[in-house]
Amino acid sequence: QISGPAITHFSQVPDGWDALIVTFIGAAEAQRAQIGWVDPAEVAYDQPGLLRDRYYPGDIGFDPLGLKPTDSEELNIMITKELQN
């Protein structure tokens, strides 16, 4: 059973599960990086970390419930409300 302050929860995870958790987090971050950033081999030396033209920060195309507005202005309002919440 995991208990106590949240800062100690990860150290209480049973052996082996921590490696699985880190693997899944790493896979999710790698996918997000491939969606959002241009391959470093295709970027000029003076532009490291260049974002793709079609990428909007935070939008990785995952919207299973169809809640994302189609209008860009409505999307900006929704994102602002979420950040301020």
Side-chain angles (χ1 to χ4, degrees):
Q1 179 178 342
I2 297 175
S3 63
I7 197 165
T8 65
H9 288 180
F10 193 73
S11 63
Q12 296 178 40
V13 173
D15 291 339
W17 284 99
D18 53 348
L20 185 64
I21 292 169
V22 169
T23 301
F24 279 118
I25 291 171
E29 289 297 322
Q31 180 182 12
R32 185 179 63 88
Q34 289 177 344
I35 292 171
W37 283 265
V38 177
D39 185 358
E42 300 171 6
V43 178
Y45 179 76
D46 62 341
Q47 294 181 326
L50 184 65
L51 292 175
R52 296 184 188 275
D53 291 334
R54 67 180 189 273
Y55 177 68
Y56 189 87
D59 182 12
I60 59 171
F62 182 75
D63 186 24
L65 299 177
L67 299 175
K68 178 183 169 189
T70 55
D71 181 40
S72 63
E73 185 62 33
E74 288 181 29
L75 177 61
N76 286 333
I77 291 170
M78 186 171 116
I79 289 171
T80 302
K81 287 179 180 178
E82 181 63 28
L83 289 173
Q84 292 176 345
N85 185 6

